[in-house]
């Protein structure tokens, strides 16, 4: 699974290059089992071009501000009538929309979980994973420099 957190940020920097790479990843990846998930808060035509929408097998929309935004994302209206906090529409193709309710996690809950994890002390990684990561990034010295030195040779983590 390849996840893109904010597609509009990528598309605003280099729209043609990003669109070409995204289309290639979506089309070629589908044939080999790579799933692409792209998220955006922006519904403008710069981010969600017709080519990008055509390359994606499905779309999920949460509550949108207007019928125009809903048509831009799903190809038809309906997302503007959704409830907040996880109410969504899954569009799997023309006329194949399903309303669903997804888990909702508030920002306060995310911060509470992150705080609890930070309070638990430094991260510990399984040595086999650290060794594999070092093998992969060794040809790239700048990536090795970014790795925290205390995690390069950690004792075995509980598995």
């Amino acid at each position: 699974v390849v996840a893109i957190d904010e597609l509009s940020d990528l598309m605003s920097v280099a729209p043609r290059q990003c669109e070409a790479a995204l289309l290639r990843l979506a089309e070629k990846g589908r044939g080999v089992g790579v799933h692409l998930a792209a998220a955006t808060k922006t519904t403008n035509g710069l981010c969600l071009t017709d080519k990008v929408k055509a390359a994606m097998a499905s779309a999920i929309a949460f509550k949108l501000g207007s019928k125009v935004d809903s048509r831009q994302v799903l190809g038809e209206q309906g997302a503007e009538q959704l409830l907040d906090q996880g109410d969504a529409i899954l569009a799997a193709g023309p006329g194949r929309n399903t309303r669903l309710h997804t888990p909702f996690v508030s920002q306060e809950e995310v911060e509470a979980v992150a705080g609890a994890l930070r309070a638990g002390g430094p991260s510990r990684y399984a040595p086999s994973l650290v060794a594999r990561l070092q093998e992969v990034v060794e040809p790239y010295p700048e990536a090795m420099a970014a790795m925290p030195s205390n995690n390069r040779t950690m004792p075995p983590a509980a598995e």
Side-chain angles (χ1 to χ4, degrees):
V1 175
V2 175
I4 300 171
D5 181 29
E6 188 55 60
L7 183 61
S8 63
D9 288 348
L10 292 172
M11 293 294 276
S12 65
V13 173
R16 287 193 179 104
Q17 294 87 346
C18 181
E19 183 182 56
L22 192 64
L23 293 175
R24 183 174 177 160
L25 183 61
E27 292 166 356
K28 301 230 184 238
R30 188 176 300 147
V32 296
V34 174
H35 299 278
L36 178 64
T40 185
K41 293 178 187 173
T42 307
T43 59
N44 64 20
L46 171 67
C47 178
L48 297 174
T49 65
D50 290 335
K51 289 180 182 179
V52 169
K53 289 191 297 185
M56 301 290 184
S58 60
I60 295 177
F62 294 97
K63 184 173 184 172
L64 296 172
S66 69
K67 292 178 183 179
V68 174
D69 291 341
S70 182
R71 276 189 232 109
Q72 178 69 25
V73 175
L74 300 174
E76 56 189 68
Q77 62 190 39
E80 74 284 353
Q81 298 173 354
L82 294 171
L83 304 173
D84 287 328
Q85 300 185 344
D87 198 15
I89 292 179
L90 168 66
R96 295 181 18 198
N97 290 353
T98 304
R99 190 167 179 178
L100 40 107
H101 193 78
T102 64
F104 175 77
V105 181
S106 69
Q107 186 63 35
E108 293 80 21
E109 291 171 315
V110 170
E111 290 170 5
V113 169
L117 291 173
R118 283 187 206 105
S123 300
R124 292 184 39 193
Y125 302 98
S128 60
L129 294 176
V130 174
R132 178 67 182 126
L133 180 61
Q134 286 175 328
E135 290 174 16
V136 171
V137 298
E138 198 169 271
Y140 308 98
E142 64 277 358
M144 279 298 285
M147 282 182 63
S149 60
N150 65 336
N151 288 332
R152 292 184 188 167
T153 56
M154 292 296 284
E159 293 184 18

